[in-house]
Amino acid sequence: PTKQQPSSNQPPAATPPTEVTQAAAKMSHRKFEAPRSGSLGFLPKKRTKRHSGRVRSFPKDDASAAPHLTAFRGYKAGMTHVVRGVDRPGALMHKREVVDAVSVIETPPMVVVGVVGYVETPSGLRTLTTVFAEHLSEEFKRRCYKNWFKSKKKAYTKYAKKYEDGAKDIDAELERIKKFC
């Protein structure tokens, strides 16, 4: 006997609702099935153009204090762990050793090459003037060039001539910094 085909005006038989709900229960959300590996805050993962970091926040300025170094540049070089003794009377871990994770921060030596004077404006700080040192090391001058070997090495040569004729311009700029900044 031949099988009878259903007529075209009848809808196909639907699957029972219990099968659909069971299938949905087996599948989880994608973020649970295949979570991200690593933070998106570190993208793009490529070598930096300039290896010098920057100070992102400075402490509040104390105008009464003499000018001094307010920040020091440091780079996170990695992590390690330390074993330390807990000295908290009454605590469960008192006089016991615990292992803590620590960051290793590398702080290369900083060399002062000049002074920058800032003035306060309604929209924030603005640079008034900059005074560089008379003798700048070759290390600093190399940092000003992308390719030191091909360059003519003329950085700060015209600025150094300001010191030769009595340094009147330099003293005037320093006085402006003292007066307005």
Side-chain angles (χ1 to χ4, degrees):
T2 60
K3 225 176 184 181
Q4 223 179 3
Q5 296 289 332
S7 62
S8 60
N9 58 358
Q10 287 183 350
T15 55
T18 54
E19 288 180 26
V20 175
T21 52
Q22 286 174 353
K26 287 180 191 173
M27 256 189 339
S28 180
H29 200 276
R30 188 190 180 285
K31 70 178 180 183
F32 303 121
E33 296 293 323
R36 274 209 58 77
S37 298
S39 169
L40 291 171
F42 296 99
L43 292 178
K45 292 183 179 179
K46 62 179 185 180
R47 195 168 190 82
T48 179
K49 279 187 229 165
R50 297 219 166 99
H51 291 285
S52 61
R54 66 182 190 276
V55 179
R56 299 195 182 187
S57 63
F58 287 92
K60 285 278 185 190
D61 187 36
D62 183 13
S64 62
H68 59 282
L69 191 66
T70 53
F72 202 87
R73 189 181 285 182
Y75 305 91
K76 184 172 177 179
M79 291 190 76
T80 185
H81 62 275
V82 293
V83 179
R84 65 176 182 89
V86 178
D87 185 30
R88 277 187 289 174
L92 186 67
M93 296 298 289
H94 180 56
K95 290 190 176 177
R96 292 195 186 173
E97 291 184 339
V98 293
V99 178
D100 278 340
V102 292
S103 293
V104 178
I105 298 176
E106 189 175 305
T107 52
M110 282 185 10
V111 179
V112 177
V113 294
V115 179
V116 181
Y118 295 95
V119 289
E120 285 187 23
T121 63
S123 59
L125 292 175
R126 179 180 67 83
T127 305
L128 177 71
T129 185
T130 305
V131 178
F132 286 98
E134 184 176 359
H135 301 290
L136 297 171
S137 66
E138 189 183 311
E139 284 179 348
F140 172 71
K141 290 179 185 176
R142 286 178 86 102
R143 306 291 286 164
C144 299
Y145 289 97
K146 191 168 184 181
N147 191 336
W148 175 254
F149 178 74
K150 281 187 187 175
S151 69
K152 295 179 181 175
K153 302 165 184 59
K154 302 268 293 174
Y156 299 98
T157 52
K158 291 180 181 176
Y159 192 88
K161 288 178 182 172
K162 288 184 181 181
Y163 280 99
E164 289 174 6
D165 30 303
K168 291 176 187 169
D169 296 343
I170 304 294
D171 291 336
E173 292 295 312
L174 287 171
E175 287 303 318
R176 273 185 70 205
I177 290 175
K178 286 178 190 172
K179 185 176 179 183
F180 297 112
C181 301

